[in-house]
């Protein structure tokens, strides 16, 4: 029996088009936990972005939220929730990430 391993989450995004750390990513997420959902929130708890196995990783642009649709988010701290949707890991993974432009 093989069990899924927990991920390595990279919590620094440098969305400045230099080709390094351009998006919020996690090693093994798309290949191991294929039914996952990721949510990105600002410091006030407003949902800015939602993604899954069929979407690109978060690149610092808000696609949800009041007056944020498709706008680049300012540099700062953001929070994530990753729901793995795996019976072995019922609790979501939560934490923070830093975005710099």
């Amino acid at each position: 029996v093989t069990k899924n391993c927990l991920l390595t989450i990279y919590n620094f995004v440098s969305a400045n088009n230099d080709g390094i750390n351009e998006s919020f990513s996690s090693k093994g997420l798309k290949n191991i936990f294929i039914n996952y959902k990721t949510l990105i929130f600002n410091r006030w708890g407003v949902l800015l972005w939602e993604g899954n196995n069929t979407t690109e990783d978060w690149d610092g642009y808000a696609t949800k939220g009041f007056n944020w649709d498709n706008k680049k988010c300012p540099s700062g701290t953001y929070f994530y929730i990753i729901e793995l949707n795996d019976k072995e890991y019922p609790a979501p993974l939560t934490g923070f990430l830093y975005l710099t432009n």
Side-chain angles (χ1 to χ4, degrees):
V1 175
T2 304
K3 291 177 77 174
N4 289 335
C5 298
L6 278 181
L7 324 165
T8 301
I9 299 172
Y10 304 102
N11 65 349
F12 177 75
V13 177
S14 172
N16 58 5
N17 296 321
D18 67 355
I20 302 170
N21 296 328
E22 292 297 322
S23 62
F24 177 62
S25 63
S26 303
K27 185 176 182 181
L29 182 62
K30 289 192 177 213
N31 298 330
I32 297 172
F33 298 97
I34 58 173
N35 294 317
Y36 76 92
K37 179 166 70 170
T38 301
L39 307 166
I40 304 289
F41 299 88
N42 67 11
R43 68 176 104 179
W44 297 284
V46 175
L47 177 65
L48 301 177
W49 183 85
E50 183 177 333
N52 58 32
N53 204 21
T54 63
T55 59
E56 295 294 322
D57 293 331
W58 186 60
D59 61 357
Y61 283 84
T63 58
K64 298 190 176 291
F66 181 70
N67 286 338
W68 283 96
D69 198 27
N70 290 319
K71 291 185 181 176
K72 193 167 192 175
C73 298
S75 294
T77 302
Y78 294 84
F79 300 90
Y80 66 83
I81 297 175
I82 301 174
E83 298 170 354
L84 299 175
N85 295 317
D86 186 303
K87 65 182 179 177
E88 296 290 324
Y89 301 101
L93 303 175
T94 60
F96 70 95
L97 64 102
Y98 186 76
L99 171 69
T100 184
N101 295 315

